[in-house]
Amino acid sequence: MSPRTGRPKSDNPMNERMFIRVTKEEKEEIMQFSKDSGYTLLELIRIGIERVKSLKK
């Protein structure tokens, strides 16, 4: 029997989902900023969270 092929299992899989609702204009602004900055949406969220946390200290 041959070993399984494919990607190895992750130690910390991203299998949780979050859904948010935004206006059409907000979505366009977020998507354009993501495209212009080169950051993914998740990277932008992480950066935003870190900046807000740093304000709380």
Side-chain angles (χ1 to χ4, degrees), residues 28-41:
E28 289 171 358
E29 183 179 6
I30 292 166
M31 298 306 286
Q32 188 62 49
F33 184 80
S34 175
K35 183 179 177 183
D36 293 345
S37 68
Y39 290 112
T40 66
L41 294 176

Side-chain angles (χ1 to χ4, degrees), residues 5-43:
T5 59
R7 298 184 78 184
K9 299 287 183 187
S10 173
D11 292 335
N12 191 13
M14 290 191 203
N15 56 3
E16 297 294 322
R17 292 181 178 255
M18 294 180 67
F19 298 94
I20 61 168
R21 294 175 62 113
V22 295
T23 65
K24 182 179 180 182
E25 293 80 18
E26 289 170 331
K27 180 181 177 185
E28 289 171 358
E29 183 179 6
I30 292 166
M31 298 306 286
Q32 188 62 49
F33 184 80
S34 175
K35 183 179 177 183
D36 293 345
S37 68
Y39 290 112
T40 66
L41 294 176
L42 183 55
E43 288 171 326

